[in-house]
Amino acid sequence: MGRDLLPMSTVPPALRAESLYRLAFRLGLLIAVGCLVAGLVQVAVSERRLPGLEMDPLVRARDALARGEKAAAAREYRGMVAVNSRDLDLLLQSAEGLVKAGDVAGGAELIGRAWAQHPGDPRVHTALGWALYWTKKYDEAASHFDTALRADPRDFRAHAGLAEVRLEQQRYPEAEAALVRVMALDPTNGSAHNSLGVAYALTGRPQKAVEEFAIAARLSPTPDILANLERARAEAARSRP
Amino acid sequence: MTAVGATAPVTALRRPAVDPGQPFVGFTFDYLVIGGGFSLFVLALLHSAAMPSVSVFLKEHLWTFVLLSNSAHFAGSTVRLYTRPGSFRDLPFLTMGLPLVSLIVLGLGLVFPGALGQNLLSLYLTWSPYHYSAQAYGIAVLYCYRSGTPWDEGEKRWLRLACFAPFLYSFLTIPGGGLAWLMPAAVLADPAAAAVRGFAASAAQVASFAGPLALFVRHQAGGRARLPLISLLAVLTNAVWLVMLSYQVAMVLAVIAIFHGLQYLAILNIVHVKERMKRPDNRAPAWRHAAGFYALCLGLGYLLFQVWPHAFVLAGFSYAESLLMVVSVINIHHFIVDAFIWRLRRDPSYAAAASAAQ
């Protein structure tokens, strides 16, 4: 019985729990509102706009690369790997991105890690092909794209890589054929539409180039694609009788 | 005796061969949106590559559709939690404690990406197909109730098993989650383990389609409570989402998420509107309740997914890390909240939605 006698000042446990819940709720609300205000301020100050609609974790990395800010891009790719190295596709995209951003050793390390986790996976050959492409080793790159395509003929990224190599080697009909295969497998690949536009422009078909650049610009309106579109439009206007 | 029971002999004579289910809005809307029929049409179009312009259009506006549907649906469970009468009293931890816990976990995930962040992401990837399957089961049972066909616990167990076969397939095969997360890579690389895993995945793949179909036929033929056709459609649609289309292809994943969100928002809005319309002081028409609720969900969805990640960029983290951690924590929070606000039969609003009376 004595254990039931409580001093006057003691708060019943249920009431204490409720007070704690209320405190937790207010604290959580405060932090959440603070985060949202900080997020709005961050975009408003750095980009002078409201946050746009984007949920691709690598969008900032690609934007930074398009602006030529390689250090910022590399930071984004490393951030991606820090939280998501278990997804092979994103790991390989980060590896390629690092190479493109100038961190060849970092990219090679990630490709090595991917190979150790998934030995023989054709996607690793594709990523290695792209890494070699970005370091201008075109013949070796083509060899890895070919290996990947023998294992998986539907690997549109390998077809796209092979097309880029052939464009660099000025083998335009082969590039075009590879890009047409990319379109059949993934019609939403903006950079492949851009490359096909380049192939058309370089082989004297500016009107078809405009069509491809226009689709590319809808899918990924980067400065280089928009510039290609403008040039092709001017060229098409000049070539009209 | 229930109203259904009282009229059973007459309805038994008149009932159609297949029960189409009692729609909430109308057969077209229910079959296309809640049953997921429209998603099958869009996915078939994407898969066939018959109209590349549709794929380009979808990709061009993908994040707008994701905001309008999927982001709003995540916010929807939170809006529902805080607008449901008596939530703070009945669910004090969920309403008042869980937000702070989520914020702390999010912060720790960002600070310790290797030790915690990656595992949060894997947990979300593992839980997500379970959540999808649970939604398919919930919709199937909801239409069973609305048809006035009582299912006993044993029958519901079979239905649950049929609904969760796609989750089992995802668990076995999903990269970065499920078995690949919980088992060491060396064990999974062992040829014997790989063979067992491959066999189990194939079995789950077959069961995802054969299970619901067999259950449907059995209940049609065996004089049992019938499975409404729309329930079968919802379950099979989920199987297509998780099993037939490789779950990790980014564009397909986003499209599936859009339709999952649409399905959820439709049911949630119906529950919300029904509840508001029943209030004695209600003066507003149904569309105003629906529009107001959706506007709240949309606004919160924008803040959560489009604004919140930038806060951590300001704190020095990369956008990739911030976005992935925010998405993981919002997903996990949504799965937990959802498990409480949709407790079948125990939730009065669920009973309101399940009742056939419009």
Side-chain angles (χ1 to χ4, degrees):
Chain A
M1 284 297 284
R3 290 170 65 187
D4 294 330
L5 295 173
L6 300 169
M8 287 293 283
S9 60
T10 304
V11 183
L15 212 59
R16 251 200 325 257
E18 197 183 319
S19 305
L20 278 175
Y21 277 138
R22 286 187 190 285
L23 180 67
F25 182 65
R26 285 189 189 124
L27 199 56
L29 198 63
L30 195 70
I31 296 170
V33 171
C35 285
L36 294 175
V37 171
L40 281 171
V41 168
Q42 200 274 333
V43 182
V45 169
S46 64
E47 298 171 35
R48 303 200 179 284
R49 62 173 176 91
L50 281 174
L53 299 185
E54 54 193 23
M55 279 184 70
D56 176 354
L58 288 176
V59 69
R60 293 293 159 125
R62 291 194 204 99
D63 287 352
L65 274 181
R67 290 193 304 270
E69 296 168 7
K70 291 189 171 182
R75 201 175 137 270
E76 283 291 332
Y77 285 118
R78 287 189 204 108
M80 163 60 89
V81 174
V83 291
N84 195 11
S85 62
R86 292 192 181 115
D87 184 318
L88 180 65
D89 288 322
L90 286 174
L91 180 67
L92 292 173
Q93 278 185 50
S94 302
E96 289 169 36
L98 279 178
V99 174
K100 211 172 165 185
D103 183 1
V104 178
E109 193 269 319
L110 292 186
I111 291 174
R113 201 195 299 180
W115 187 256
Q117 287 170 6
H118 303 268
D121 194 308
R123 288 173 294 177
V124 184
H125 278 288
T126 303
L128 188 52
W130 275 102
L132 290 163
Y133 169 80
W134 293 118
T135 47
K136 299 187 188 304
K137 292 172 182 164
Y138 299 127
D139 287 328
E140 288 172 66
S143 159
H144 281 283
F145 290 134
D146 281 331
T147 305
L149 287 171
R150 273 196 297 278
D152 180 10
R154 292 182 60 81
D155 183 349
F156 62 86
R157 298 196 68 256
H159 283 296
L162 199 57
E164 294 298 333
V165 169
R166 298 308 179 217
L167 274 180
E168 290 294 338
Q169 294 169 332
Q170 300 182 358
R171 292 159 65 174
Y172 300 126
E174 288 170 67
E176 196 178 315
L179 288 165
V180 168
R181 277 194 287 277
V182 177
M183 296 306 156
L185 294 165
D186 178 22
T188 68
N189 191 319
S191 79
H193 279 286
N194 180 56
S195 299
L196 191 55
V198 170
Y200 287 143
L202 291 173
T203 50
R205 288 170 288 175
Q207 195 51 52
K208 289 186 86 171
V210 168
E211 288 167 21
E212 292 303 327
F213 288 138
I215 298 173
R218 277 169 62 195
L219 290 166
S220 51
T222 56
D224 53 335
I225 290 177
L226 293 173
N228 283 345
L229 178 60
E230 281 312 302
R231 270 198 299 270
R233 276 186 179 145
E235 184 63 33
R238 270 198 300 275
S239 66
R240 273 195 209 110
Chain B
M1 185 180 279
T2 63
V4 171
T7 56
V10 182
T11 51
L13 288 174
R14 288 182 190 162
R15 69 179 196 173
V18 173
D19 175 12
Q22 283 274 341
F24 285 104
V25 181
F27 281 111
T28 310
F29 180 87
D30 281 46
Y31 270 78
L32 290 180
V33 177
I34 303 176
F38 188 46
S39 74
L40 299 182
F41 173 73
V42 173
L43 290 169
L45 211 59
L46 290 179
H47 190 69
S48 72
M51 292 173 72
S53 56
V54 173
S55 308
V56 171
F57 175 81
L58 257 176
K59 179 90 176 266
E60 194 183 353
H61 302 286
L62 192 62
W63 300 127
T64 307
F65 290 128
V66 166
L67 172 72
L68 292 174
S69 170
N70 195 253
S71 302
H73 117 276
F74 279 112
S77 58
T78 301
V79 173
R80 170 74 191 146
L81 178 68
Y82 290 104
T83 54
R84 199 178 79 149
S87 279
F88 282 93
R89 183 197 61 227
D90 300 339
L91 304 164
F93 175 73
L94 206 65
T95 50
M96 295 183 277
L98 188 62
L100 183 62
V101 172
S102 304
L103 286 164
I104 292 170
V105 170
L106 171 61
L108 291 174
L110 281 162
V111 175
F112 304 106
L116 184 62
Q118 290 215 26
N119 291 313
L120 278 177
L121 191 67
S122 295
L123 175 63
Y124 137 58
L125 289 172
T126 307
W127 202 335
S128 188
Y130 178 89
H131 169 75
Y132 274 54
S133 298
Q135 182 162 307
Y137 173 72
I139 289 171
V141 172
L142 188 61
Y143 279 103
C144 289
Y145 283 142
R146 285 177 65 78
S147 282
T149 48
W151 281 51
D152 64 33
E153 286 308 312
E155 289 170 330
K156 274 196 275 187
R157 200 173 302 125
W158 282 109
L159 180 59
R160 184 182 276 271
L161 272 174
C163 290
F164 281 85
F167 160 68
L168 180 63
Y169 173 80
S170 298
F171 183 84
L172 291 166
T173 58
I174 195 168
L179 205 62
W181 169 43
L182 298 172
M183 295 287 282
V187 174
L188 294 176
D190 180 78
V196 171
R197 186 187 181 189
F199 176 76
S202 301
Q205 200 167 20
V206 172
S208 300
F209 295 95
L213 283 170
L215 202 65
F216 180 77
V217 171
R218 186 163 174 258
H219 279 251
Q220 279 292 119
R224 293 178 172 82
R226 291 178 304 163
L227 184 68
L229 197 59
I230 192 164
S231 299
L232 178 68
L233 176 65
V235 177
L236 289 178
T237 298
N238 183 58
V240 171
W241 288 353
L242 298 185
V243 172
M244 273 181 77
L245 304 155
S246 43
Y247 188 53
Q248 282 288 295
V249 177
M251 170 88 160
V252 170
L253 183 64
V255 171
I256 290 170
I258 288 167
F259 283 108
H260 165 81
L262 262 185
Q263 204 176 42
Y264 186 93
L265 277 173
I267 295 281
L268 198 60
N269 228 322
I270 287 163
V271 169
H272 176 79
V273 170
K274 272 178 177 267
E275 231 176 48
R276 294 293 154 129
M277 295 300 283
K278 277 185 183 163
R279 285 187 177 180
D281 58 341
N282 174 57
R283 298 279 179 276
W287 70 264
R288 201 178 293 167
H289 290 303
F293 184 79
Y294 177 66
L296 264 180
C297 296
L298 194 59
L300 185 59
Y302 175 77
L303 291 173
L304 290 176
F305 288 97
Q306 305 299 334
V307 176
W308 203 7
H310 293 287
F312 303 107
V313 175
L314 192 67
F317 296 99
S318 70
Y319 177 74
E321 286 172 283
S322 309
L323 180 72
L324 287 174
M325 282 300 94
V326 165
V327 167
S328 302
V329 168
I330 292 173
N331 267 275
I332 294 167
H333 179 270
H334 170 70
F335 301 151
I336 295 170
V337 169
D338 220 39
F340 281 91
I341 65 172
W342 290 110
R343 282 183 165 176
L344 303 186
R345 289 178 301 167
R346 269 174 276 177
D347 184 10
S349 57
Y350 183 88
S355 68
Q358 296 294 301

